[in-house]
Amino acid sequence: MIESLPLLSLITFLPLVGVLFILTIPRAADTNARWVALWVSLATFALSLTLWFQFDRTTADFQFVEYIPWIEDYNISYHMGVDGISVLFVLLSTFLIPICILASWTAITSRLREYMIAFLVLETLMVGMFCALDLFVFYVFFEAVLIPMFLIIGIWGGENRVYASFKFFLYTLAGSVLMLIAVLAMYLAAGTSSIPDLMAFNFPTGWQIWMWLAFFASFAVKVPMWPVHTWLPDAHVQAPTAGSVILAGVLLKMGGYGFLRFSLPIFPYASDYFIPLVFGLSVVAVIYTSLVALAQKDMKKLIAYSSVAHMGFVTLGIFTMNLQGIQGSILQMISHGLVSGALFLCVGVLYDRLHTKEISRFGGLVHIMPMYAFFFMIFTMASIGLPGTSGFSGEFLILTGAFKANTTVTFLAAIGVVLGAAYMLWLYKRVIFGKLEKADLKQMPDLSVREITVFVPLAILVFWIGIYPNDFLEIMEPSVSNLIDNYHLAMHSYNTPQLAGL
Amino acid sequence: MFVEAVFLPLISSLIAGFFGKTLGDRTTNFISCAILILAAIMSCFIFMDVALAGNSTVVELLPWMTSGTLEFSWALKFDTLSAVMVFVVLVVSSCVHVYSVGYMHHDKSQPRFMSYLGLFTFAMLMLVTADNLVQMFFGWEGVGLASYLLIGFWYEKESANKAAMKAFLVNRVGDFGFSLGIFAIFMLFGTVQLSEIFAQASVMENTMFTFLGMEAHAMTVICFLLFIGAMGKSAQLGLHTWLPDAMEGPTPVSALIHAATMVTAGVFMVTRMSPLFEFAPDVLTFITFIGATTAFFAASVGLTQNDIKRVIAYSTCSQLGYMFFAIGVSAYSAAIFHLFTHAFFKALLFLGAGSVIHAMSNEQDMRNMGGIWRKIPFTYACMWIGSLALAGIPLFAGYYSKDMILEAAYAAHHSPMHYYAFVLGIISAAMTAFYSWRLIFLTFHGTPRASKKVMSHVHESPPVMTIPLGVLMIGAVFSGFVGYDVFVGHDRLEFWADSIFVLASHDVIEEAHHVAWYIKKLPLLVSLLGIGLAYLMYIKKPSLPGKTAQTLKPLYNVSYNKWYFDEIYDALIVRPLMMAGRFLWRIFDVLIIDGLGPNGMMRISKNIAGTLSRLQTGYVYHYAFVMLVGLVIFISYLFYRILV
């Protein structure tokens, strides 16, 4: 029942067309693969912008829906659609991929074709995952994302890449196995795999607890929440720059998205029941990882730990169960995708020049790389959450919402804001300020045109979300409101029979 | 005109920042100064229109965030309070801009300096014209960023970078309180819009809410949290440690940010929020205590410092304490009056000190100065006028505002802490006079202690530096006399209109006018004593200071080492946090989580696999033996089944 162009499928599978092209390129003309990948990803991004312009901002319904019965006997279908929550993640993914490809332009020299293929496949899988409205389709995409990422770290990573990629794989797989069981159980219980139908289905409360936990295992690893976060620093340190960008930019968001798409709407009772658990883990993540970030000697590890802290805010916000908290969380996820991506790119710029990420190897870069210092400052401030940048909009809304839910938790999380400034400013000081003394640093050129092209759009978005976040809040508002209303409705129905019994 | 006045500095900043290199130093300086002077002229008109003629207004610019009931815009609120602030900020800022053209003449990145100054001015204006708390927070953190950039302006200096970071982080601790205050206000009032909050303030007077698991008086909690923010920005006791270190920045920065404007943002914010603070008497008492203690503490440290800028920095800290205890006894208008006069004379003192430093080839230690007053008479006059105003000598600006504060503190019988504030205020006034003249005598009088080379270079600053000094001098002399009637005199109620709220039972300004004559004369008397003592110790008998320091060794050390605040914080906060970070990482993450988690799993599965692989020896007779054993067991089992 496709009435118009199957837009979502086009966006999802367009990158695969690029893959086919790249496969026809002979190995001798390897560098052409870059151009193909760049053009295809730009075309995909341009296509996805139609979503932004044509999206109906007044409804919470799924839009651009495609529905093709797939395995009819088992009621499984190819079902795609986006609402105000997922559309932003689709756009984030399509926006970051061209940036990743540009960032890898000169850094990657071996197996270039395969590298570009990995990124394009990754894009297909990510977009498909965010658009999927069928539980099985979702699960396939969700798990398949692991594969290209595993390869990107394992093949193009640093010295210790094999350990890091297996750690990454093991952690995420452990979560996924539990999730698979829950997925099957849900399907058997409800007799359908359609996500909108499952949202309407009323699971018994006892079931909800177990299935919530199974999903939680998978999402918590992806976010990552404390204490299952230790794969992230290793994965980031070993991953190539663009791998880190996409890992921090999109892959971590899969966990947060999962909570919003599954845990909250399908298991409202369990979500409510586990609020204290999530709050506790979030606050520990915020403070614990901020302190750990202070002690880091490797730039990428520092930013990786800061990601865990920032994602702690996200999980906190989601489970406040109010509009400010959840809108803030989504905004924070988008913002973190841009800012931490940009920060990893900043590290990459230095790594490309000096092949080290050790903080103590740098110092005084402002003298020779003023442009670099300028962009790095913007993203540092956004990471700190300076008002007027995207980091503030998200954090502020989350904490505003969280304060209504629990003052103690907010109080503790706000400490993380202070610590966040400490580790970022200290990093900036050690890398950028001071005397330029080391001989090899003196030869480093400032940003090239390509690098500036990478940073400018990120900076623009950071300020856009900081100064006028309403564009983003508006698009998600109906869906988030709807989510919260349904949650309260469900909670109400759980509470009323008991009252009636009294 | 309202919007232009606020955004012109931003434009100046962007021009200087992005095109400074192309335009060259001279053009950039000219453009920046011209823009700022234009904005300052506008601010005079705004002051007349809004404060004197009473036309307050709000200019909506752009919606900012809308999330359910949380809704606020970028908007500029102009009432008397913000008009006073805008006037002060733009006048001082334009003076500092012009002065910097001369002062930073030799610096290689002058456009960057101008850009930061513009950015600061813009953020400060956004702060004071905010019509909602979030925009105020934007300005609040924005000035923090500008301050960070300017303190660390000479980024090759390690000490400057450290000071910049320290300033940002200590302020962040304050902002932590401020932001929690905003969240609490939103929860309670359902809005962050100032006018809507104030409209509901009296209704919420006795509301209780749960905070950190305790049932608490909402207004007290909110105001306390907001005041934490003010303490950070205005360098009050406990969160003051960043201010003296901030003197690492170029001197014009110290004058603009760390004396006249940014550090007074806390005073402004609490005054702005007076409709809430009036309903939190316990917090007001706390503010009185902190303010008075800071005034005393900072003055006591100022007595022994040798760096000319640090003396003035502690003086600023101390004067901010005066403003706060004025607020504590609900004399908000007196606090803002002092903020107003202080901006002129303290900027004058700082820029004067800058002129001295400039003349002395960047020497800041007063022990290496002396005997230069004939060579730089204009600067010398500036420092005298600034000090006279600071000490509160009649006819100079400080006389009107500082005495008003002390009288209000004396008369404020509703406040339990008011005598404490009054007594410490009087003692601090004596110390203020003492250290100010100690500074003058050490710097300008006596025998020259600098090297011949330096002395031969001592010269009066160029007109581009002395003209701004002249403007500020006019302010330091006349602002008190001229402002008295409207700020705290007859016309005050009409002047402030509804921009300041004071409960009828807290109105001390009227009573302050009627305190006994000897109370009114006391500040003057102790100031003269302080000046006299300084004269005795540094002119008449220069051996006296050394002897006094010897006999009062412990006291001297406490003062000289700033009451050991930095050392205590370092031992109690900074080091433990760093250690916690290392511990959590090395022990918890790596040993425990990874050890039990992935690495542990790997080890276990390796062990199992290792054990299992030992079965696979590769010898056929081993396998044959196992098969045989299996076969025997299987057959036995079959027999067993058949037989039983």
Side-chain angles (χ1 to χ4, degrees), chain B residues 399-421:
Chain B
Y399 170 70
Y400 298 93
S401 54
K402 191 158 108 182
D403 285 17
M404 190 69 224
I405 287 178
L406 287 167
E407 286 156 20
Y410 184 80
H413 296 292
H414 70 270
S415 165
M417 273 284 179
H418 76 115
Y419 280 127
Y420 176 78

Side-chain angles (χ1 to χ4, degrees), chain B residues 182-403:
Chain B
I182 297 175
F183 306 143
I185 285 178
F186 176 67
M187 184 169 82
L188 202 66
F189 294 85
T191 175
V192 290
Q193 209 71 31
L194 291 177
S195 52
E196 291 170 22
I197 296 168
F198 298 160
Q200 299 174 53
S202 57
V203 187
M204 298 287 184
E205 188 185 347
N206 298 312
T207 315
M208 307 288 281
F209 77 146
T210 318
F211 183 68
L212 304 183
M214 290 171 290
E215 196 66 8
H217 182 231
M219 284 294 194
T220 306
V221 171
I222 289 174
C223 292
F224 182 75
L225 291 170
L226 292 178
F227 181 60
I228 301 283
M231 280 174 72
K233 195 74 33 189
S234 293
Q236 292 300 286
L237 195 67
L239 295 179
H240 67 280
T241 52
W242 65 273
L243 182 60
D245 289 19
M247 297 302 126
E248 289 289 341
T251 309
V253 173
S254 313
L256 175 62
I257 301 185
H258 306 118
T261 56
M262 184 187 85
V263 288
T264 61
V267 179
F268 164 79
M269 186 261 272
V270 178
T271 307
R272 175 57 96 203
M273 302 309 289
S274 58
L276 299 190
F277 279 83
E278 280 297 286
F279 294 109
D282 293 345
V283 178
L284 286 180
T285 309
F286 180 70
I287 296 177
T288 316
F289 171 74
I290 290 287
T293 314
T294 307
F296 175 78
F297 152 78
S300 78
V301 175
L303 297 176
T304 56
Q305 299 304 308
N306 291 320
D307 184 313
I308 185 169
K309 283 179 71 183
R310 284 195 183 235
V311 175
I312 309 177
Y314 276 106
S315 161
T316 306
C317 194
S318 170
Q319 296 302 309
L320 290 166
Y322 277 89
M323 296 175 209
F324 273 109
F325 75 70
I327 286 174
V329 299
S330 297
Y332 302 97
S333 51
I336 296 294
F337 187 31
H338 195 51
L339 186 163
F340 180 72
T341 59
H342 175 260
F344 294 108
F345 63 70
K346 193 51 70 67
L348 178 67
L349 280 171
F350 259 121
L351 294 185
S355 181
V356 171
I357 295 166
H358 193 72
M360 299 292 291
S361 316
N362 294 328
E363 177 62 72
Q364 298 197 12
D365 193 328
M366 294 192 294
R367 285 171 297 190
N368 301 329
M369 294 180 181
I372 52 171
W373 69 274
R374 275 175 217 279
K375 295 196 171 186
I376 46 173
F378 186 80
T379 307
Y380 181 59
C382 288
M383 295 305 277
W384 261 91
I385 289 173
S387 300
L388 287 169
L390 173 63
I393 303 302
L395 300 178
F396 292 92
Y399 170 70
Y400 298 93
S401 54
K402 191 158 108 182
D403 285 17

Side-chain angles (χ1 to χ4, degrees), chain A residues 163 166-167 170-171 226-227 229-231 233-234 287-288 291-292 294-297 301 305 323-324 327 366-367 370 374 377 381 384-388 392-393 395-397 399-400 403-404 407-408 410-411 414-415 417-419 421-422 425-426 428-429 433-435 466-470 473 477, chain B residues 18 21 62-70 72 74 108 134 137-139 141-142 145 148-149 152 155-158 161-162 164-165 168-169 172-173 176 179-180 182-187 192 209-213 225 577-578 580-582 584-586 588-590 593-594 597-599 601-602:
Chain A
Y163 170 75
F166 274 99
K167 200 172 177 184
L170 275 180
Y171 256 115
W226 186 88
H229 64 280
T230 58
W231 63 271
D234 283 311
I287 294 181
Y288 176 109
L291 287 172
V292 173
L294 268 177
Q296 295 310 311
K297 296 177 173 70
K301 235 178 187 167
Y305 274 110
L323 192 62
Q324 286 89 30
Q327 283 200 308
V366 65
H367 297 275
F374 173 70
M377 173 59 82
M381 286 301 151
I384 285 174
L386 199 81
F392 174 74
S393 304
E395 245 171 43
F396 176 76
L397 285 174
L399 291 175
T400 308
F403 200 89
K404 290 203 279 193
T407 51
T408 314
T410 317
F411 182 88
I415 293 175
V417 180
V418 180
L419 294 173
L425 286 184
W426 198 32
Y428 192 84
K429 189 201 104 178
F433 289 147
K435 287 198 179 74
I467 293 169
Y468 195 71
N470 273 355
L473 293 172
E477 203 271 339
Chain B
F18 286 114
K21 278 225 174 89
L62 184 80
W64 186 358
M65 271 189 226
T66 312
S67 175
T69 51
L70 177 67
F72 48 90
W74 297 97
K108 61 184 193 310
V134 188
F137 194 68
F138 166 82
E141 293 244 305
L145 169 67
Y148 164 80
L149 292 170
Y155 41 61
E156 60 277 2
K157 264 167 68 184
E158 182 65 12
N161 293 328
K162 281 197 173 140
M165 251 181 75
F168 199 98
L169 293 181
R172 263 276 154 136
V173 176
F176 162 78
S179 56
L180 284 176
I182 297 175
F183 306 143
I185 285 178
F186 176 67
M187 184 169 82
V192 290
F209 77 146
T210 318
F211 183 68
L212 304 183
L225 291 170
L577 280 183
M578 293 304 293
R582 275 192 296 273
L584 291 175
W585 175 33
R586 300 262 190 223
F588 221 89
D589 255 29
V590 175
I593 298 181
D594 275 356
N599 295 358
M601 293 288 202
M602 257 185 241

Side-chain angles (χ1 to χ4, degrees), chain B residues 44-56 80 83 486 494-495 497:
Chain B
C44 297
F45 287 108
I46 292 174
F47 184 80
M48 284 193 269
D49 185 31
V50 175
L52 299 180
N55 300 319
S56 54
T80 304
V486 289
E494 199 185 327
F495 178 72

Side-chain angles (χ1 to χ4, degrees), chain A residues 215-278:
Chain A
F215 273 86
F216 181 72
S218 178
F219 298 149
V221 167
K222 279 268 161 39
V223 166
M225 292 175 77
W226 186 88
V228 288
H229 64 280
T230 58
W231 63 271
L232 186 72
D234 283 311
H236 270 310
V237 171
Q238 300 305 329
T241 303
S244 288
V245 172
I246 216 70
L247 186 60
V250 184
L251 263 61
L252 302 192
K253 310 304 173 297
M254 289 161 58
Y257 174 73
F259 285 130
L260 291 168
R261 182 59 78 233
F262 296 95
S263 305
L264 259 54
I266 303 183
F267 317 123
Y269 176 83
S271 297
D272 185 70
Y273 182 82
F274 285 113
I275 286 176
L277 173 75
V278 176

Side-chain angles (χ1 to χ4, degrees), chain B residues 68-143:
Chain B
T69 51
L70 177 67
E71 192 173 2
F72 48 90
S73 301
W74 297 97
L76 307 177
K77 179 191 181 80
F78 281 93
D79 61 358
T80 304
L81 185 58
S82 50
V84 169
M85 294 301 292
V86 168
F87 177 74
V88 168
V89 170
L90 279 171
V91 169
V92 177
S93 178
S94 55
C95 286
V96 166
H97 268 80
V98 176
Y99 180 92
S100 304
V101 173
Y103 190 83
M104 302 297 283
H105 184 63
H106 301 293
D107 201 278
K108 61 184 193 310
S109 36
Q110 228 182 353
R112 185 164 60 91
F113 187 73
M114 288 295 174
S115 175
Y116 290 172
L117 281 186
L119 177 68
F120 167 77
T121 311
F122 167 69
M124 189 71 201
L125 292 172
M126 288 301 274
L127 193 171
V128 298
T129 59
D131 95 316
N132 61 67
L133 284 165
V134 188
Q135 187 181 326
M136 197 187 284
F137 194 68
F138 166 82
W140 193 265
E141 293 244 305
V143 291

Side-chain angles (χ1 to χ4, degrees), chain A residues 101-370:
Chain A
I101 286 168
L102 265 181
S104 320
W105 209 252
T106 53
I108 302 296
T109 44
S110 68
R111 300 174 194 273
L112 191 60
R113 294 188 314 165
E114 289 81 352
Y115 182 86
M116 294 300 166
I117 289 173
F119 267 89
L120 291 177
V121 171
L122 190 60
E123 179 168 22
T124 293
L125 299 174
M126 291 187 310
V127 174
M129 197 261 323
F130 288 123
C131 295
L133 285 186
D134 184 278
L135 195 55
F136 289 107
V137 177
F138 171 84
Y139 188 79
V140 168
F141 280 126
F142 189 82
E143 292 309 321
V145 165
L146 268 181
I147 300 163
M149 198 63 224
F150 173 75
L151 296 175
I152 288 169
I153 298 174
I155 297 175
W156 293 277
E159 279 167 22
N160 213 353
R161 57 182 182 266
V162 177
Y163 170 75
S165 56
F166 274 99
K167 200 172 177 184
F168 164 70
F169 201 82
L170 275 180
Y171 256 115
T172 32
L173 198 71
S176 312
V177 172
L178 293 171
M179 186 173 144
L180 179 63
I181 299 169
V183 164
L184 291 172
M186 280 166 70
Y187 171 69
L188 293 175
T192 173
S193 60
S194 154
I195 292 173
D197 292 347
L198 285 168
M199 285 179 182
F201 189 82
N202 203 352
F203 286 94
T205 50
W207 272 66
Q208 288 198 20
I209 301 282
W210 288 108
M211 284 190 288
W212 189 93
L213 281 173
F215 273 86
F216 181 72
S218 178
F219 298 149
V221 167
K222 279 268 161 39
V223 166
M225 292 175 77
W226 186 88
V228 288
H229 64 280
T230 58
W231 63 271
L232 186 72
D234 283 311
H236 270 310
V237 171
Q238 300 305 329
T241 303
S244 288
V245 172
I246 216 70
L247 186 60
V250 184
L251 263 61
L252 302 192
K253 310 304 173 297
M254 289 161 58
Y257 174 73
F259 285 130
L260 291 168
R261 182 59 78 233
F262 296 95
S263 305
L264 259 54
I266 303 183
F267 317 123
Y269 176 83
S271 297
D272 185 70
Y273 182 82
F274 285 113
I275 286 176
L277 173 75
V278 176
F279 278 4
L281 294 181
S282 305
V283 165
V284 171
V286 168
I287 294 181
Y288 176 109
T289 46
S290 297
L291 287 172
V292 173
L294 268 177
Q296 295 310 311
K297 296 177 173 70
D298 181 292
M299 293 167 85
K300 264 190 154 179
K301 235 178 187 167
L302 193 152
I303 297 166
Y305 274 110
S306 87
S307 288
V308 182
H310 283 130
M311 292 306 287
F313 280 103
V314 170
T315 47
L316 171 64
I318 290 174
F319 283 81
T320 59
M321 308 291 181
N322 59 43
L323 192 62
Q324 286 89 30
I326 295 182
Q327 283 200 308
S329 287
I330 299 172
L331 212 56
Q332 170 83 340
M333 282 195 262
I334 305 291
S335 158
H336 177 260
L338 302 168
V339 174
S340 70
L343 286 172
F344 281 119
L345 288 169
C346 284
V347 178
V349 166
L350 297 185
Y351 187 77
D352 288 348
R353 286 162 174 69
L354 212 62
H355 296 287
T356 176
K357 298 179 292 253
E358 207 177 316
I359 297 170
S360 58
R361 285 285 287 108
F362 297 97
L365 290 182
V366 65
H367 297 275
I368 38 157
M369 301 175 75

